[in-house]
Amino acid sequence: MINEVDTIAAISTALGEGAIGIVRVSGPDAITICNHIVRLVHHQSLSAVKSHTINYGKVVSNDLGQDIDEVMVSVMRAPKTFTREDVIEINCHGGNQAVKRILENLLDAGARLAEPGEFTKRAFLNGRIDLSQAEAVMDLIKAKSDRAMDLAMGQLSGRLSSKIKDLRQEMLQTLAQVEVTIDYPEYDDAEDISLTALSHTAKHIKERIAELLKQSRQGRIIRDGIKTAIIGRPNVGKSSLLNNLIQEEKAIVTEVAGTTRDTIEETITINGIPLELVDTAGIRETTDVVEQIGVARSRKALEEADLVLLLLNRSEPLSESDRALIAATADKKRLILLNKTDLTQQLDRVQLELLLVTTDQVIETSMLEQVGIDALEKSIMDLFMDGKIAERDATYISNVRHIDLLKKADKCLDEVLNACEQQVPVDLIQIDFTRAWDLLGEITGESVQDELLTQLFSQFCLGK
Ligand SMILES: Nc1nc2c(ncn2[C@@H]2O[C@H](COP(=O)(O)OP(=O)(O)OP(=O)(O)O)[C@@H](O)[C@H]2O)c(=O)[nH]1
Ligand SMILES: [Mg+2]
């Protein structure tokens, strides 16, 4: 299936100080190429060792025959390997030098430097994993939390793929049924039977797509985290909130209004869900040039946020800026925090409620006395995960590409249903139906174009 049957090599571990480093080689000449530079202690050569064994030896340079490093070499012969090709992994000492020199010598001996993601791409092209599993490999590498990792593992084990395959199978059966019916003219009502079958399946597939999409929002959150902007006028306690959440004096806190000039970003996890916090400069009208830039950045953070924590100072009456911010965040998912509850209340709750919508939750806090943090964390979970901690085995679709394809397939099926209602000729409806089938196939890579593959795999790390 692969036409570029050369042998590729890359450093598979992160560069930097570490106990071991791994250089990986895959392709038909992997063993021959490595034989040039590996001297084993207990065997003649790598060709002589059993598959799936790890062997002690040395790497020597091609030209000078000089020892480069003491190594353990894994030999894995095709097809039971990650790429389904012969794979050699050289485990050497960590740090930058050993891995680099070993790689250089492998390239001299005839290997080609792998492109990012090329090992995984080969695994896909050789049919070991499908596309959604390949993408899961990337998610696994980039996972920011335990939950994100569980999610990627679920996808890697083919949970999403098998659901999509079931859907496509069902659609294929319907298409086959339609073909047969149309081909037997003794049925007078062939068109009717076909229309009924197509619309019945289209409806069912649409229901299943809707379920998958419903879970997708949570999936994205588990994977990418919740972008959370802390917003409020100057001096209400935004930076104090950030420090409290991350349990570190990261942001400067003073009684001077306008202390925070630039946005400050930090990530924490709540029940396994990453929260990407952004502390912002207090939003107000100002003539100070630096502060103006800060305020513009605050507004940008507000725009990009999945969640806004809007802070108000309970010990002062509502101000014009507070009202403006309540209005500006109205279409956002938000929590209203009334801070400084350790001081006497000046803010009129009734007046405030009039400005809020029914879904708004108000939480009273005191950053000084660290009151209300637990309630805040609980509310965030309620808002994003329906209060539940993500179940391990639900099929969360977290990949934007998958969501997009599901939505497109859903639209095609809408057209199928419309056309069925209007009694459009069956062969025309079949086209949309088949298109939906193709779109679902792109998720698993059963119907997929070359450019897409190149683009997808180029997002991987080198050596994976
Ligand atoms: N009494 C009391 N003071 C607080 C509380 N939270 C914050 N403060 C004080 O309020 C002042 C401002 O706090 P910051 O956290 O710097 O406020 P900010 O919203 O980040 O202010 P800017 O960065 O200027 O926009 C500091 O003196 C804090 O110690 C609270 O709950 N109670
Ligand atoms: Mg601040």
Side-chain angles (χ1 to χ4, degrees):
M1 207 168 154
I2 240 177
N3 33 25
E4 11 149 9
V5 273
D6 51 355
T7 296
I8 52 174
I11 298 168
S12 285
T13 39
L15 284 179
E17 277 182 32
I20 55 170
I22 299 178
V23 182
R24 177 144 70 165
V25 189
S26 174
D29 300 326
I31 295 174
T32 327
I33 289 174
C34 291
N35 264 336
H36 283 292
I37 64 163
V38 172
R39 301 281 170 270
L40 294 183
V41 173
H42 301 294
H43 293 274
Q44 278 269 283
S45 80
L46 289 168
S47 322
V49 306
K50 277 194 192 154
S51 184
H52 294 76
T53 54
I54 187 156
N55 304 275
Y56 175 60
K58 277 182 185 162
V59 168
V60 293
S61 69
N62 271 319
D63 42 358
L64 306 170
Q66 216 176 38
D67 288 359
I68 294 179
D69 199 3
E70 226 180 342
V71 292
M72 296 293 288
V73 185
S74 308
V75 179
M76 291 162 282
R77 291 198 177 81
K80 284 192 180 164
T81 66
F82 181 58
T83 54
R84 285 203 170 159
E85 301 172 333
D86 284 351
V87 172
I88 300 270
E89 283 182 6
I90 302 178
N91 292 236
C92 60
H93 284 105
N96 296 340
Q97 289 319 310
V99 279
K100 276 189 184 159
R101 287 191 61 193
I102 291 172
L103 179 65
E104 275 167 22
N105 278 279
L106 285 168
L107 298 183
D108 279 348
R112 170 173 65 75
L113 184 64
E115 286 160 23
E118 200 171 355
F119 291 94
T120 316
K121 186 177 181 179
R122 287 185 173 200
F124 167 69
L125 290 174
N126 290 329
R128 207 186 78 80
I129 53 175
D130 73 21
L131 200 55
S132 82
Q133 289 173 311
E135 287 171 297
V137 172
M138 180 159 57
D139 282 353
L140 198 63
I141 295 170
K142 294 189 175 165
K144 290 179 187 161
S145 68
D146 288 352
R147 297 269 166 231
M149 187 145 168
D150 290 347
L151 189 70
M153 273 310 288
Q155 190 169 318
L156 184 59
S157 67
R159 215 172 277 148
L160 174 64
S161 318
S162 79
K163 291 206 173 181
I164 299 289
K165 276 184 188 141
D166 288 349
L167 296 187
R168 293 186 85 226
Q169 188 54 32
E170 189 180 332
M171 293 171 86
L172 202 60
Q173 270 165 8
T174 306
L175 281 171
Q177 189 191 335
V178 169
E179 288 296 333
V180 170
T181 319
I182 299 287
D183 285 350
Y184 283 87
E186 59 263 35
Y187 291 125
D188 295 339
D189 50 358
E191 285 268 327
D192 279 350
I193 297 179
S194 303
L195 285 182
T196 315
L198 284 168
S199 75
H200 179 265
T201 306
K203 271 184 202 146
H204 183 236
I205 303 289
K206 269 179 65 70
E207 280 166 19
R208 304 289 304 278
I209 290 180
E211 277 167 29
L212 289 171
L213 282 173
K214 199 173 133 205
Q215 292 167 341
S216 72
R217 196 178 54 99
Q218 296 190 346
R220 193 183 72 79
I221 283 165
I222 297 172
R223 196 182 76 153
D224 298 341
I226 306 171
K227 278 201 167 182
T228 308
I230 306 176
I231 301 286
R233 65 180 160 88
N235 222 21
V236 289
K238 297 179 295 301
S239 300
S240 309
L241 171 63
L242 178 86
N243 290 347
N244 258 319
L245 285 171
I246 63 173
Q247 298 180 355
E248 196 190 317
E249 298 300 309
K250 166 106 184 196
I252 301 171
V253 168
T254 72
E255 62 290 343
V256 181
T259 299
T260 307
R261 292 299 190 94
D262 203 348
T263 47
I264 302 173
E265 296 180 18
E266 271 295 324
T267 304
I268 57 166
T269 43
I270 300 180
N271 286 343
I273 311 296
L275 217 63
E276 297 195 351
L277 294 164
V278 188
D279 176 25
T280 64
I283 297 182
R284 65 170 168 189
E285 291 300 321
T286 168
T287 49
D288 182 308
V289 187
V290 180
E291 201 178 342
Q292 275 174 355
I293 298 172
V295 170
R297 290 191 178 173
S298 304
R299 293 197 186 278
K300 184 157 174 279
L302 168 63
E303 231 168 73
E304 290 172 354
D306 300 314
L307 170 67
V308 171
L309 303 179
L310 179 57
L311 259 75
L312 303 171
N313 184 345
R314 203 192 68 157
S315 69
E316 288 173 8
L318 271 181
S319 72
E320 268 319 300
S321 332
D322 291 331
R323 287 169 195 274
L325 285 174
I326 292 171
T329 53
D331 58 347
K332 284 276 175 184
K333 234 180 221 265
R334 66 177 177 191
L335 292 170
I336 312 286
L337 272 60
L338 298 185
N339 191 33
K340 309 203 185 184
T341 52
D342 51 292
L343 302 174
T344 344
Q345 178 161 3
Q346 295 285 333
L347 183 142
D348 185 341
R349 257 315 262 273
V350 180
Q351 214 180 33
L352 171 67
E353 299 289 348
L354 289 176
L355 301 171
L356 300 183
V357 292
T358 44
T359 49
D360 278 327
Q361 284 184 60
V362 179
I363 304 164
E364 302 214 333
T365 63
S366 166
M367 290 310 139
L368 198 69
E369 297 182 341
Q370 305 192 340
V371 172
I373 310 279
D374 289 348
L376 171 63
E377 293 187 350
K378 186 178 174 308
S379 296
I380 295 175
M381 288 307 290
D382 286 346
L383 263 185
F384 283 87
M385 308 302 293
D386 301 326
K388 287 192 300 266
I389 294 171
E391 291 166 42
R392 265 165 195 264
D393 54 352
T395 311
Y396 289 114
I397 299 192
S398 59
N399 191 305
V400 191
R401 193 181 72 85
H402 299 162
I403 295 174
D404 184 50
L405 287 167
L406 283 172
K407 284 185 178 162
K408 281 186 181 151
D410 188 58
K411 263 206 187 126
C412 273
L413 293 172
D414 277 339
E415 276 158 33
V416 168
L417 289 176
N418 263 335
C420 284
E421 228 165 73
Q422 291 168 18
Q423 312 252 320
V424 171
V426 168
D427 45 353
L428 290 181
I429 303 181
Q430 269 177 301
I431 295 176
D432 278 331
F433 197 86
T434 312
R435 166 114 187 91
W437 182 78
D438 270 338
L439 286 164
L440 292 179
E442 281 185 37
I443 295 180
T444 50
E446 280 160 282
S447 46
V448 84
Q449 289 120 21
D450 273 2
E451 317 98 76
L452 175 70
L453 286 185
T454 312
Q455 191 215 331
L456 271 177
F457 285 105
S458 66
Q459 297 170 31
F460 274 69
C461 331
L462 217 60
K464 188 62 217 176

